[in-house]
Amino acid sequence: MKEIRIGMIGYSFMGKAHSFGYKNVGMFYDLKVKPVMKVICGRKLEGVKAAAERYGWEEYETDWRKVIERDDIDLIDICTPGHLHAEMAIAAAEAGKHVFCEKPLANSLEDAKRMLEAVQKAGVKHMVGFNYRTVPAIALAKRLIEEGRLGEIYHFRGVYLQDWIVDPDFPLVWRLDAKIAGTGPLGDLAAHTIDIAHYLIGEIEEVVAQEKTFIKERPALVEKVKGTGLVEVEADKSRKVPVTVEDATMFLARFKNGALGVFEASRMCPGRKNFNGFEINGSKGSIAFNFEDMNILWFFSRDDEGHIQGFRRILVTEPEHKYFNVWWPAGHIIGYGETFVNEIYNLLDAIAEDRMPEPSFEDGVKCQKVLEAVVKSVKERRWVRLDEL
Ligand SMILES: NC(=O)c1ccc[n+]([C@@H]2O[C@H](COP(=O)([O-])OP(=O)(O)OC[C@H]3O[C@@H](n4cnc5c(N)ncnc54)[C@H](O)[C@@H]3O)[C@@H](O)[C@H]2O)c1
């Protein structure tokens, strides 16, 4: 079987998630190419070495350029913060490698477009890490919409809520630094919701937004590498540094097909851990989803007779549910890690069949355009049309 030799940059949260995908994909899916976990890269020698051993990579490296230059690598997988995506993806494309890049595609629309141009010019395959598309319940939501069960779509209401920075003494990690992250929960969380909306409803035409940074300065960060290869963060309370991204963002949107959208992303919601949820209302019915209960899709149909109408709770674990057929017997639910196995199958299968994987950098650029419009709307305090950008 043809091998796809992978070089992955970044070994922490997403590095571990993608490694989980490469390691397990062949156990569940029938593959047409064989993934080879060739080399993993990170800045800290001690950490990347531990990660290589633990996750099952053949080699480790601390200089990402050396990984891209290697002749024995076919696919570069980028799991680093956003400010590095463009430089790494463009270098990988120029070296003729396929590129899988985590979301958001970049920290600016200009960079995202340059990345798309580079992969198109090089004629390589490209994919962006919107893994939530591979949640079986979200795939079912798409099927129900395509089957016309919701009728004309009126509303998309999407929230992505977390609580990990509510404590004002939580240190200034890279996600709170605009130079590295670009934006706060907008690019980190709402990017996923925007992609889900694009996937399920269609494209957004215009937005109006507001945002707020509630905690304006935080203790400086001290980073330590644990034996697991993961980085442990500690706060240096003697030193405060400014927070340069928003803590919460929200926007209204109008979709090209006439639907109205409401989006909210915040890390200041005590009790909400990874509350990535949406509700869609149409002329014939509604659906609702929340990732904290990811195997469930709620569906209300006006076609049901009046006396039995009500939201039905669909446990999305049947063999006829997309993605679930390779997993366990019905009712034996899946979790977060499995979305990466599904996502990496989509990537490898597209490479094997010489087609473009989905979501591609084109989807990444579409999402980036909305992010940029939201930023512009906040700055200029007005509705921003996407075709202005
Ligand atoms: N799809 C998802 O659900 C999801 C979830 C979390 C993060 N993300 C995205 O994944 C990306 C990474 O986020 P994360 O949470 O894994 O971050 P992280 O802080 O856990 O890991 C970042 C990794 O990048 C490496 N790195 C940083 N600078 C580097 C350099 N110059 N050279 C080589 N390696 C370098 C670090 O060593 C570290 O291993 C971001 O774009 C983020 O938005 C996606």
Side-chain angles (χ1 to χ4, degrees), residues 9-16 18 41-44 61-64 78-85 88 102-104 129-132 160 174-175 187-188 192 223 229-231 336 340 343:
I9 316 172
Y11 64 88
S12 199
F13 181 18
M14 279 307 103
K16 191 173 198 176
H18 289 204
C41 176
R43 287 162 305 174
K44 297 186 175 72
E61 173 59 70
T62 52
D63 180 350
W64 63 266
I78 302 171
C79 293
T80 57
H83 70 308
L84 297 166
H85 291 181
M88 290 174 171
E102 260 308 335
K103 47 54 61 180
F130 289 124
N131 58 306
Y132 290 104
Y160 201 146
W174 68 260
R175 279 184 166 79
D188 191 23
H192 280 299
E223 277 189 347
L230 291 178
V231 175
Y336 183 61
F340 294 94
E343 179 181 45

Short mmCIF file of all heavy atoms in Angstrom, two decimals, residues 9-16 18 41-44 61-64 78-85 88 102-104 129-132 160 174-175 187-188 192 223 229-231 336 340 343, ligand 1:
data_model
loop_
_atom_site.label_atom_id
_atom_site.label_comp_id
_atom_site.label_asym_id
_atom_site.label_seq_id
_atom_site.Cartn_x
_atom_site.Cartn_y
_atom_site.Cartn_z
N ILE A 9 3.96 19.55 12.91
CA ILE A 9 4.59 20.64 13.67
C ILE A 9 3.64 21.05 14.80
O ILE A 9 2.51 21.45 14.55
CB ILE A 9 4.91 21.85 12.77
CG1 ILE A 9 5.53 21.39 11.44
CG2 ILE A 9 5.85 22.80 13.49
CD1 ILE A 9 5.69 22.51 10.42
N GLY A 10 4.15 20.95 16.04
CA GLY A 10 3.33 21.21 17.22
C GLY A 10 2.99 19.87 17.86
O GLY A 10 2.57 18.94 17.18
N TYR A 11 3.20 19.77 19.17
CA TYR A 11 3.02 18.46 19.80
C TYR A 11 2.15 18.54 21.05
O TYR A 11 2.08 17.60 21.84
CB TYR A 11 4.39 17.86 20.17
CG TYR A 11 5.17 18.66 21.19
CD1 TYR A 11 5.00 18.44 22.55
CD2 TYR A 11 6.08 19.64 20.79
CE1 TYR A 11 5.69 19.18 23.49
CE2 TYR A 11 6.78 20.37 21.72
CZ TYR A 11 6.59 20.14 23.08
OH TYR A 11 7.27 20.88 23.99
N SER A 12 1.47 19.69 21.20
CA SER A 12 0.73 19.83 22.46
C SER A 12 -0.73 19.39 22.27
O SER A 12 -0.98 18.25 21.92
CB SER A 12 0.90 21.25 22.96
OG SER A 12 0.60 21.33 24.32
N PHE A 13 -1.69 20.29 22.47
CA PHE A 13 -3.11 19.87 22.44
C PHE A 13 -3.47 19.26 21.08
O PHE A 13 -3.82 18.06 20.97
CB PHE A 13 -3.99 21.08 22.78
CG PHE A 13 -5.47 20.83 22.82
CD1 PHE A 13 -5.99 19.55 22.93
CD2 PHE A 13 -6.36 21.90 22.77
CE1 PHE A 13 -7.37 19.34 22.98
CE2 PHE A 13 -7.73 21.69 22.81
CZ PHE A 13 -8.23 20.41 22.91
N MET A 14 -3.38 20.06 20.02
CA MET A 14 -3.76 19.53 18.71
C MET A 14 -2.77 18.50 18.20
O MET A 14 -3.13 17.57 17.49
CB MET A 14 -3.95 20.65 17.69
CG MET A 14 -5.29 21.34 17.80
SD MET A 14 -6.71 20.18 17.75
CE MET A 14 -7.18 20.10 19.46
N GLY A 15 -1.49 18.67 18.57
CA GLY A 15 -0.50 17.67 18.16
C GLY A 15 -0.89 16.29 18.70
O GLY A 15 -0.79 15.28 18.00
N LYS A 16 -1.36 16.27 19.92
CA LYS A 16 -1.78 15.01 20.52
C LYS A 16 -3.06 14.50 19.84
O LYS A 16 -3.18 13.30 19.55
CB LYS A 16 -2.02 15.23 22.02
CG LYS A 16 -2.20 13.96 22.80
CD LYS A 16 -2.27 14.26 24.29
CE LYS A 16 -2.02 13.02 25.10
NZ LYS A 16 -1.99 13.31 26.53
N HIS A 18 -4.18 15.10 16.77
CA HIS A 18 -3.91 14.60 15.41
C HIS A 18 -3.16 13.27 15.48
O HIS A 18 -3.40 12.37 14.68
CB HIS A 18 -3.13 15.63 14.60
CG HIS A 18 -3.93 16.84 14.22
ND1 HIS A 18 -3.63 17.63 13.13
CD2 HIS A 18 -5.04 17.39 14.76
CE1 HIS A 18 -4.51 18.62 13.04
NE2 HIS A 18 -5.37 18.50 14.03
N CYS A 41 7.51 17.76 15.40
CA CYS A 41 8.38 18.92 15.65
C CYS A 41 7.78 19.85 16.70
O CYS A 41 6.56 20.05 16.74
CB CYS A 41 8.56 19.66 14.32
SG CYS A 41 9.50 21.17 14.43
N GLY A 42 8.65 20.40 17.54
CA GLY A 42 8.24 21.39 18.54
C GLY A 42 9.46 22.18 18.97
O GLY A 42 10.59 21.82 18.62
N ARG A 43 9.22 23.24 19.73
CA ARG A 43 10.36 24.11 20.08
C ARG A 43 11.23 23.50 21.17
O ARG A 43 12.42 23.72 21.21
CB ARG A 43 9.85 25.47 20.60
CG ARG A 43 9.30 26.36 19.54
CD ARG A 43 8.46 27.44 20.19
NE ARG A 43 7.43 26.83 21.03
CZ ARG A 43 6.60 27.48 21.81
NH1 ARG A 43 6.69 28.79 21.91
NH2 ARG A 43 5.69 26.86 22.53
N LYS A 44 10.61 22.78 22.10
CA LYS A 44 11.36 22.34 23.27
C LYS A 44 11.81 20.88 23.10
O LYS A 44 10.97 19.98 23.02
CB LYS A 44 10.49 22.47 24.52
CG LYS A 44 10.10 23.93 24.81
CD LYS A 44 9.37 24.04 26.13
CE LYS A 44 9.08 25.47 26.52
NZ LYS A 44 8.04 26.11 25.71
N GLU A 61 12.12 16.59 16.05
CA GLU A 61 12.91 17.68 15.46
C GLU A 61 12.50 18.98 16.15
O GLU A 61 11.35 19.11 16.60
CB GLU A 61 12.58 17.72 13.94
CG GLU A 61 13.14 18.85 13.15
CD GLU A 61 14.66 18.91 13.20
OE1 GLU A 61 15.32 18.03 12.61
OE2 GLU A 61 15.17 19.84 13.86
N THR A 62 13.42 19.94 16.24
CA THR A 62 13.05 21.23 16.84
C THR A 62 13.02 22.36 15.81
O THR A 62 12.60 23.47 16.14
CB THR A 62 14.02 21.62 17.99
OG1 THR A 62 15.35 21.54 17.48
CG2 THR A 62 13.85 20.73 19.20
N ASP A 63 13.44 22.08 14.58
CA ASP A 63 13.44 23.14 13.55
C ASP A 63 12.43 22.75 12.45
O ASP A 63 12.68 21.82 11.66
CB ASP A 63 14.87 23.25 12.98
CG ASP A 63 14.96 24.32 11.90
OD1 ASP A 63 13.91 24.84 11.46
OD2 ASP A 63 16.11 24.62 11.48
N TRP A 64 11.31 23.47 12.40
CA TRP A 64 10.24 23.06 11.47
C TRP A 64 10.67 23.16 10.02
O TRP A 64 10.20 22.41 9.17
CB TRP A 64 8.96 23.86 11.72
CG TRP A 64 9.02 25.35 11.50
CD1 TRP A 64 9.28 26.31 12.43
CD2 TRP A 64 8.78 26.05 10.26
NE1 TRP A 64 9.23 27.56 11.86
CE2 TRP A 64 8.92 27.43 10.54
CE3 TRP A 64 8.47 25.66 8.97
CZ2 TRP A 64 8.76 28.41 9.56
CZ3 TRP A 64 8.31 26.63 7.98
CH2 TRP A 64 8.45 27.99 8.29
N ILE A 78 0.05 21.05 10.41
CA ILE A 78 0.41 22.23 11.22
C ILE A 78 -0.51 22.36 12.43
O ILE A 78 -1.70 22.63 12.31
CB ILE A 78 0.35 23.50 10.34
CG1 ILE A 78 1.29 23.34 9.15
CG2 ILE A 78 0.70 24.75 11.17
CD1 ILE A 78 1.15 24.44 8.09
N CYS A 79 0.07 22.17 13.61
CA CYS A 79 -0.68 22.23 14.88
C CYS A 79 -0.07 23.29 15.79
O CYS A 79 0.09 23.07 17.00
CB CYS A 79 -0.63 20.88 15.58
SG CYS A 79 -1.50 19.59 14.73
N THR A 80 0.31 24.41 15.21
CA THR A 80 0.93 25.50 15.98
C THR A 80 -0.06 26.67 16.08
O THR A 80 -1.05 26.70 15.36
CB THR A 80 2.21 26.00 15.28
OG1 THR A 80 1.85 26.40 13.95
CG2 THR A 80 3.26 24.91 15.20
N PRO A 81 0.24 27.66 16.93
CA PRO A 81 -0.64 28.83 17.00
C PRO A 81 -0.73 29.57 15.65
O PRO A 81 0.17 29.44 14.80
CB PRO A 81 0.03 29.69 18.07
CG PRO A 81 0.80 28.71 18.91
CD PRO A 81 1.28 27.66 17.97
N GLY A 82 -1.79 30.36 15.49
CA GLY A 82 -2.15 30.97 14.22
C GLY A 82 -1.10 31.83 13.54
O GLY A 82 -1.02 31.86 12.31
N HIS A 83 -0.26 32.53 14.31
CA HIS A 83 0.71 33.46 13.69
C HIS A 83 1.75 32.72 12.85
O HIS A 83 2.46 33.35 12.06
CB HIS A 83 1.39 34.33 14.76
CG HIS A 83 2.33 33.57 15.65
ND1 HIS A 83 1.97 32.43 16.32
CD2 HIS A 83 3.63 33.79 15.97
CE1 HIS A 83 3.00 31.99 17.02
NE2 HIS A 83 4.01 32.81 16.83
N LEU A 84 1.86 31.38 13.02
CA LEU A 84 2.86 30.62 12.28
C LEU A 84 2.28 29.87 11.08
O LEU A 84 3.02 29.33 10.26
CB LEU A 84 3.53 29.60 13.22
CG LEU A 84 4.32 30.20 14.39
CD1 LEU A 84 4.64 29.13 15.43
CD2 LEU A 84 5.61 30.84 13.87
N HIS A 85 0.93 29.83 11.00
CA HIS A 85 0.31 28.98 9.97
C HIS A 85 0.73 29.38 8.56
O HIS A 85 1.06 28.51 7.74
CB HIS A 85 -1.22 29.05 10.07
CG HIS A 85 -1.79 28.39 11.29
ND1 HIS A 85 -3.15 28.32 11.55
CD2 HIS A 85 -1.20 27.76 12.34
CE1 HIS A 85 -3.35 27.68 12.69
NE2 HIS A 85 -2.19 27.34 13.20
N MET A 88 4.45 28.58 7.59
CA MET A 88 4.68 27.12 7.51
C MET A 88 3.93 26.50 6.33
O MET A 88 4.50 25.68 5.60
CB MET A 88 4.21 26.45 8.82
CG MET A 88 5.10 26.79 9.99
SD MET A 88 4.41 26.13 11.54
CE MET A 88 5.80 26.45 12.66
N GLU A 102 -4.35 23.48 11.12
CA GLU A 102 -5.38 23.74 12.13
C GLU A 102 -6.07 25.08 11.87
O GLU A 102 -5.59 25.93 11.13
CB GLU A 102 -4.77 23.68 13.55
CG GLU A 102 -5.02 22.38 14.27
CD GLU A 102 -6.50 21.95 14.31
OE1 GLU A 102 -7.40 22.80 14.22
OE2 GLU A 102 -6.77 20.75 14.39
N LYS A 103 -7.22 25.24 12.49
CA LYS A 103 -8.00 26.47 12.35
C LYS A 103 -7.57 27.47 13.41
O LYS A 103 -6.96 27.05 14.39
CB LYS A 103 -9.49 26.22 12.45
CG LYS A 103 -9.97 25.34 13.60
CD LYS A 103 -9.59 25.66 15.02
CE LYS A 103 -10.03 26.97 15.62
NZ LYS A 103 -9.54 27.08 17.04
N PRO A 104 -7.91 28.77 13.34
CA PRO A 104 -8.36 29.40 12.10
C PRO A 104 -7.21 29.34 11.11
O PRO A 104 -6.04 29.31 11.51
CB PRO A 104 -8.68 30.82 12.54
CG PRO A 104 -7.81 31.07 13.73
CD PRO A 104 -7.68 29.75 14.41
N GLY A 129 -8.52 22.41 9.78
CA GLY A 129 -8.97 21.55 10.88
C GLY A 129 -10.30 21.86 11.53
O GLY A 129 -10.38 21.99 12.76
N PHE A 130 -11.35 21.94 10.73
CA PHE A 130 -12.68 22.11 11.32
C PHE A 130 -13.25 20.72 11.62
O PHE A 130 -14.12 20.21 10.91
CB PHE A 130 -13.59 22.90 10.38
CG PHE A 130 -13.22 24.36 10.26
CD1 PHE A 130 -12.96 24.93 9.03
CD2 PHE A 130 -13.15 25.17 11.39
CE1 PHE A 130 -12.62 26.28 8.92
CE2 PHE A 130 -12.81 26.51 11.30
CZ PHE A 130 -12.54 27.07 10.06
N ASN A 131 -12.74 20.12 12.70
CA ASN A 131 -13.06 18.73 13.00
C ASN A 131 -14.51 18.50 13.39
O ASN A 131 -15.01 17.38 13.28
CB ASN A 131 -12.15 18.22 14.12
CG ASN A 131 -12.28 19.05 15.39
OD1 ASN A 131 -12.14 20.26 15.35
ND2 ASN A 131 -12.55 18.42 16.50
N TYR A 132 -15.22 19.55 13.85
CA TYR A 132 -16.60 19.33 14.30
C TYR A 132 -17.52 18.89 13.16
O TYR A 132 -18.57 18.32 13.41
CB TYR A 132 -17.15 20.58 15.00
CG TYR A 132 -16.48 20.80 16.35
CD1 TYR A 132 -15.51 21.79 16.51
CD2 TYR A 132 -16.78 19.99 17.44
CE1 TYR A 132 -14.87 21.96 17.72
CE2 TYR A 132 -16.15 20.16 18.65
CZ TYR A 132 -15.19 21.15 18.79
OH TYR A 132 -14.56 21.31 20.00
N TYR A 160 -20.50 29.35 21.37
CA TYR A 160 -19.37 28.51 21.74
C TYR A 160 -18.81 29.11 23.02
O TYR A 160 -18.18 30.17 23.01
CB TYR A 160 -18.33 28.46 20.61
CG TYR A 160 -17.40 27.26 20.70
CD1 TYR A 160 -16.92 26.63 19.56
CD2 TYR A 160 -17.01 26.73 21.93
CE1 TYR A 160 -16.09 25.52 19.63
CE2 TYR A 160 -16.18 25.64 22.02
CZ TYR A 160 -15.72 25.04 20.87
OH TYR A 160 -14.88 23.95 20.95
N TRP A 174 -0.67 32.07 25.27
CA TRP A 174 -0.61 32.66 23.92
C TRP A 174 -1.99 33.01 23.36
O TRP A 174 -2.13 33.93 22.56
CB TRP A 174 0.17 31.77 22.96
CG TRP A 174 -0.43 30.44 22.58
CD1 TRP A 174 -0.12 29.22 23.10
CD2 TRP A 174 -1.42 30.19 21.57
NE1 TRP A 174 -0.86 28.24 22.49
CE2 TRP A 174 -1.67 28.80 21.54
CE3 TRP A 174 -2.14 31.00 20.68
CZ2 TRP A 174 -2.60 28.20 20.68
CZ3 TRP A 174 -3.06 30.41 19.83
CH2 TRP A 174 -3.28 29.03 19.82
N ARG A 175 -3.02 32.28 23.80
CA ARG A 175 -4.37 32.57 23.29
C ARG A 175 -4.88 33.95 23.71
O ARG A 175 -5.89 34.42 23.20
CB ARG A 175 -5.34 31.50 23.77
CG ARG A 175 -5.29 30.23 22.95
CD ARG A 175 -6.35 29.25 23.42
NE ARG A 175 -6.58 28.17 22.49
CZ ARG A 175 -5.82 27.10 22.35
NH1 ARG A 175 -4.75 26.96 23.09
NH2 ARG A 175 -6.12 26.17 21.46
N GLY A 187 -11.54 33.95 16.85
CA GLY A 187 -10.81 33.03 15.96
C GLY A 187 -10.69 31.64 16.55
O GLY A 187 -10.62 30.65 15.84
N ASP A 188 -10.68 31.57 17.88
CA ASP A 188 -10.48 30.29 18.55
C ASP A 188 -11.78 29.47 18.54
O ASP A 188 -11.76 28.28 18.20
CB ASP A 188 -10.04 30.55 19.99
CG ASP A 188 -9.56 29.29 20.68
OD1 ASP A 188 -9.16 28.34 19.98
OD2 ASP A 188 -9.59 29.24 21.93
N HIS A 192 -15.12 27.92 14.59
CA HIS A 192 -15.79 26.62 14.43
C HIS A 192 -17.28 26.82 14.13
O HIS A 192 -17.84 26.16 13.27
CB HIS A 192 -15.66 25.79 15.72
CG HIS A 192 -14.34 25.10 15.87
ND1 HIS A 192 -13.89 24.15 14.97
CD2 HIS A 192 -13.39 25.18 16.83
CE1 HIS A 192 -12.71 23.68 15.38
NE2 HIS A 192 -12.39 24.30 16.50
N GLU A 223 6.12 28.71 31.64
CA GLU A 223 5.83 27.42 30.97
C GLU A 223 6.77 26.35 31.45
O GLU A 223 7.97 26.57 31.57
CB GLU A 223 6.01 27.56 29.45
CG GLU A 223 4.82 28.14 28.75
CD GLU A 223 4.95 28.05 27.23
OE1 GLU A 223 6.06 27.78 26.74
OE2 GLU A 223 3.94 28.28 26.55
N GLY A 229 5.15 15.41 27.65
CA GLY A 229 5.36 16.21 26.44
C GLY A 229 4.43 17.40 26.40
O GLY A 229 4.57 18.27 25.55
N LEU A 230 3.47 17.46 27.32
CA LEU A 230 2.55 18.60 27.33
C LEU A 230 3.15 19.72 28.18
O LEU A 230 3.93 19.47 29.10
CB LEU A 230 1.19 18.19 27.90
CG LEU A 230 0.38 17.25 27.00
CD1 LEU A 230 -0.92 16.87 27.67
CD2 LEU A 230 0.10 17.91 25.65
N VAL A 231 2.76 20.94 27.83
CA VAL A 231 3.30 22.09 28.54
C VAL A 231 2.36 22.46 29.69
O VAL A 231 1.15 22.55 29.51
CB VAL A 231 3.46 23.29 27.57
CG1 VAL A 231 3.90 24.54 28.32
CG2 VAL A 231 4.45 22.95 26.46
N TYR A 336 -14.64 13.12 21.83
CA TYR A 336 -13.87 14.15 21.11
C TYR A 336 -12.80 13.54 20.22
O TYR A 336 -12.66 13.93 19.06
CB TYR A 336 -13.23 15.05 22.17
CG TYR A 336 -12.46 16.24 21.65
CD1 TYR A 336 -13.08 17.22 20.89
CD2 TYR A 336 -11.10 16.39 21.96
CE1 TYR A 336 -12.37 18.32 20.43
CE2 TYR A 336 -10.39 17.49 21.51
CZ TYR A 336 -11.03 18.45 20.75
OH TYR A 336 -10.33 19.52 20.30
N PHE A 340 -11.20 13.36 15.43
CA PHE A 340 -9.91 13.51 14.74
C PHE A 340 -9.61 12.27 13.89
O PHE A 340 -8.98 12.37 12.85
CB PHE A 340 -8.80 13.81 15.75
CG PHE A 340 -8.98 15.15 16.40
CD1 PHE A 340 -9.64 15.27 17.61
CD2 PHE A 340 -8.58 16.30 15.75
CE1 PHE A 340 -9.87 16.50 18.18
CE2 PHE A 340 -8.81 17.55 16.32
CZ PHE A 340 -9.46 17.66 17.53
N GLU A 343 -11.71 12.84 10.89
CA GLU A 343 -11.14 13.94 10.09
C GLU A 343 -9.92 13.44 9.31
O GLU A 343 -9.76 13.71 8.11
CB GLU A 343 -10.75 15.06 11.06
CG GLU A 343 -10.12 16.27 10.43
CD GLU A 343 -9.75 17.31 11.48
OE1 GLU A 343 -9.18 16.95 12.54
OE2 GLU A 343 -10.03 18.50 11.26
N1 LIG B 1 -9.81 21.82 15.99
C1 LIG B 1 -9.90 22.08 17.29
O1 LIG B 1 -10.86 21.70 17.94
C2 LIG B 1 -8.81 22.88 17.95
C3 LIG B 1 -8.68 22.85 19.35
C4 LIG B 1 -7.62 23.53 19.93
C5 LIG B 1 -6.74 24.25 19.14
N2 LIG B 1 -6.91 24.29 17.79
C6 LIG B 1 -5.96 25.05 16.93
O2 LIG B 1 -4.74 24.32 16.85
C7 LIG B 1 -3.62 25.21 16.81
C8 LIG B 1 -2.69 24.86 17.97
O3 LIG B 1 -3.40 24.99 19.19
P1 LIG B 1 -3.05 24.06 20.45
O4 LIG B 1 -4.19 24.18 21.38
O5 LIG B 1 -2.61 22.73 20.03
O6 LIG B 1 -1.81 24.88 21.03
P2 LIG B 1 -0.74 24.39 22.10
O7 LIG B 1 -0.22 25.59 22.78
O8 LIG B 1 -1.32 23.28 22.92
O9 LIG B 1 0.40 23.77 21.17
C9 LIG B 1 1.13 24.59 20.29
C10 LIG B 1 2.31 23.78 19.78
O10 LIG B 1 2.99 24.58 18.81
C11 LIG B 1 4.38 24.39 18.98
N3 LIG B 1 5.11 25.54 18.45
C12 LIG B 1 4.93 26.85 18.74
N4 LIG B 1 5.84 27.59 18.08
C13 LIG B 1 6.57 26.74 17.33
C14 LIG B 1 7.66 26.90 16.44
N5 LIG B 1 8.16 28.09 16.17
N6 LIG B 1 8.17 25.78 15.88
C15 LIG B 1 7.67 24.55 16.13
N7 LIG B 1 6.64 24.35 16.98
C16 LIG B 1 6.10 25.43 17.57
C17 LIG B 1 4.56 24.25 20.47
O11 LIG B 1 5.78 23.57 20.73
C18 LIG B 1 3.33 23.42 20.85
O12 LIG B 1 3.63 22.05 20.76
C19 LIG B 1 -4.20 26.60 16.85
O13 LIG B 1 -4.33 27.09 15.57
C20 LIG B 1 -5.58 26.40 17.50
O14 LIG B 1 -6.52 27.39 17.13
C21 LIG B 1 -7.91 23.60 17.19
#
